[in-house]
């Protein structure tokens, strides 16, 4: 028992209370702050990764409620908490918190904050700022390269993408999939507004092996021709009627289903690598490979 406690102290956890319990003791029920169930999700995610974060970046602080819960739970962690608008928050007693002004879209400033504070990488990032898809994606692009292998990048409130009233949200309509499969559609329609579109785009980064395979294939001349020919429906129909040819094409040359998912600006080597991407109501957690 003594050894168990000791190892917890060494790993930086507050041995007395869980993140959820600490958050409860501080909870204002102000709707702008996160609901308590998020803390439960974070705690579980950290446990599953065996991660006790020593370097934490929180983007979106508001009155500091979540920052204080994190600071109490991880008393030996170095926590940088940034917000567009600095408020008068009493962080006395929270010496491990560094509260800074920063716009989540200011890539240069975010990167310099990361370099200065987390030279060996950041363990935990929580983006609880604007909840606007485009801005959150900019933040991800700036900060994710600074997350260390095994670290977590958490995106809060992605459900705003389903809100008609939200700046970049839109009402959900379920996709109608044809009952038969005589004609294979290349796209399955999917809700892609705002934050929903952003977090779904991260699925690409869990498929880097397939993307690499596709890119390797696309380099060969024959494959390029096949890709080109595949764009013409009549040719596709002919191939569909010749199972042996189809097998040869798909088996040997691995004709890719879709070449448009690779972001044009990033080479395969530059793509972020995700170990996993987990979705919860309101919370999306990317773990870095
Ligand atoms: C939902 S609140 C944060 C709540 C806090 N994390 C908590 O759980 O108690 C969102 C915060 O993000 C900040 N914010 C909004 N847009 C931002 C931006 N572009 N860059 C940085 N912070 C931003 C707001 O000022 C606000 O304080």
């Amino acid at each position: 028992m003594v050894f168990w406690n000791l190892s917890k102290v060494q790993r930086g956890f507050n041995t007395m209370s869980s993140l959820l319990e600490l958050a409860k003791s501080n909870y204002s029920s102000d709707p702008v702050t996160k609901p308590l169930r998020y803390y439960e999700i974070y705690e579980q995610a950290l446990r599953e990764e065996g991660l006790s974060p020593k370097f934490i970046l929180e983007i979106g602080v508001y009155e500091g409620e979540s920052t204080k819960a994190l600071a109490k739970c991880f008393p030996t962690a170095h926590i940088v908490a940034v917000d567009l608008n600095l408020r008068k928050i009493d962080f006395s007693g929270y010496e491990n918190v560094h509260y800074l002004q920063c716009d989540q879209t200011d890539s240069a400033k975010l990167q310099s904050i990361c370099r200065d504070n987390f030279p060996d990488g950041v363990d935990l990032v929580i983006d609880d700022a604007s909840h606007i898809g485009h801005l959150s994606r900019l933040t991800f692009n700036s900060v994710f390269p600074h997350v260390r292998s095994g670290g977590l990048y958490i995106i809060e409130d992605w459900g705003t993408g389903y809100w008609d009233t939200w700046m970049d949200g839109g009402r959900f309509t379920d996709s109608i999939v044809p009952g038969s499969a005589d004609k294979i559609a290349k796209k399955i329609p999917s809700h892609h507004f705002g934050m929903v579109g952003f977090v779904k785009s991260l699925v690409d980064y869990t498929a880097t092996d397939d993307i690499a395979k596709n890119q390797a294939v696309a380099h060969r001349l024959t494959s390029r021709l096949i890709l080109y020919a595949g764009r013409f429906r009549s040719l596709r129909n002919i191939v569909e009627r010749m199972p042996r040819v189809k097998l040869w094409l798909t088996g040997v040359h691995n004709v890719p289903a879709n070449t448009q998912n690779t972001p044009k600006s990033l080479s395969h080597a530059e793509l972020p690598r995700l170990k996993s991407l987990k979705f919860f109501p309101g919370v999306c957690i990317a773990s870095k490979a």
Side-chain angles (χ1 to χ4, degrees), residues 37-82:
R37 64 187 174 79
Y38 284 11
Y39 293 101
E40 220 174 337
I41 294 170
Y42 299 167
E43 206 155 42
Q44 189 186 330
L46 290 168
R47 203 178 309 122
E48 280 171 7
E49 290 293 325
L51 181 65
S52 172
K54 292 198 171 53
F55 299 99
I56 300 175
L57 174 63
E58 186 183 40
I59 307 158
V61 179
Y62 186 52
E63 303 285 351
E65 210 171 288
S66 53
T67 317
K68 288 179 178 175
L70 288 165
K72 273 199 174 154
C73 189
F74 305 109
T76 60
H78 177 69
I79 300 175
V80 177
V82 305

Side-chain angles (χ1 to χ4, degrees), residues 32-34 60-62 66 83-84 87 102-104 128-129:
V32 180
T33 67
K34 58 178 104 309
V61 179
Y62 186 52
S66 53
D83 201 292
L84 182 63
R87 293 171 175 82
C102 184
D103 185 332
Q104 76 171 140
D128 185 20

Side-chain angles (χ1 to χ4, degrees), residues 182-251:
D182 36 307
K183 191 174 148 212
I184 302 292
K186 276 207 166 192
K187 275 189 183 170
I188 298 175
S190 152
H191 191 89
H192 59 264
F193 285 82
M195 290 294 280
V196 179
F198 161 47
V199 293
K200 283 184 176 177
S201 76
L202 299 183
V203 171
D204 298 336
Y205 302 140
T206 64
T208 43
D209 287 350
D210 294 287
I211 292 169
K213 207 189 252 181
N214 182 24
Q215 289 189 339
V217 165
H219 287 139
R220 292 208 299 262
L221 183 64
T222 47
S223 312
R224 280 214 204 135
L225 288 172
I226 291 161
L227 278 175
Y228 187 68
R231 299 218 171 98
F232 297 101
R233 181 173 293 176
S234 50
L235 274 175
R236 270 214 309 276
N237 288 346
I238 294 169
V239 172
E240 289 296 332
R241 273 187 249 114
M242 295 189 288
R244 287 180 76 87
V245 175
K246 188 181 173 189
L247 194 71
W248 179 77
L249 289 178
T250 52

Side-chain angles (χ1 to χ4, degrees), residues 17-38:
S17 310
S18 72
L19 182 58
L20 177 63
E21 284 165 25
L22 288 162
K24 271 184 192 164
S25 69
N26 205 23
Y27 191 55
S28 68
S29 73
D30 181 333
V32 180
T33 67
K34 58 178 104 309
L36 287 172
R37 64 187 174 79
Y38 284 11

Side-chain angles (χ1 to χ4, degrees), residues 88-188:
K88 281 197 173 148
I89 305 174
D90 183 8
F91 277 123
S92 52
Y94 298 88
E95 275 68 35
N96 54 340
V97 173
H98 304 265
Y99 181 39
L100 307 172
Q101 192 283 332
C102 184
D103 185 332
Q104 76 171 140
T105 64
D106 188 340
S107 175
K109 192 164 179 182
L110 276 177
Q111 294 197 50
S112 112
I113 286 173
C114 288
R115 274 193 304 270
D116 294 349
N117 290 277
F118 316 119
D120 296 323
V122 54
D123 297 312
L124 175 66
V125 179
I126 300 176
D127 176 359
D128 185 20
S130 69
H131 310 304
I132 296 171
H134 184 82
L135 311 192
S136 308
R137 165 57 106 155
L138 286 172
T139 311
F140 179 86
N141 289 352
S142 311
V143 173
F144 196 71
H146 295 271
V147 176
R148 71 161 186 76
S149 174
L152 299 182
Y153 190 104
I154 297 179
I155 300 147
E156 278 194 20
D157 292 332
W158 59 276
T160 51
Y162 296 106
W163 300 0
D164 244 351
T165 49
W166 196 251
M167 223 170 300
D168 61 348
R171 188 168 305 176
F172 174 70
T173 42
D174 213 348
S175 58
I176 297 162
V177 179
S180 77
D182 36 307
K183 191 174 148 212
I184 302 292
K186 276 207 166 192
K187 275 189 183 170
I188 298 175

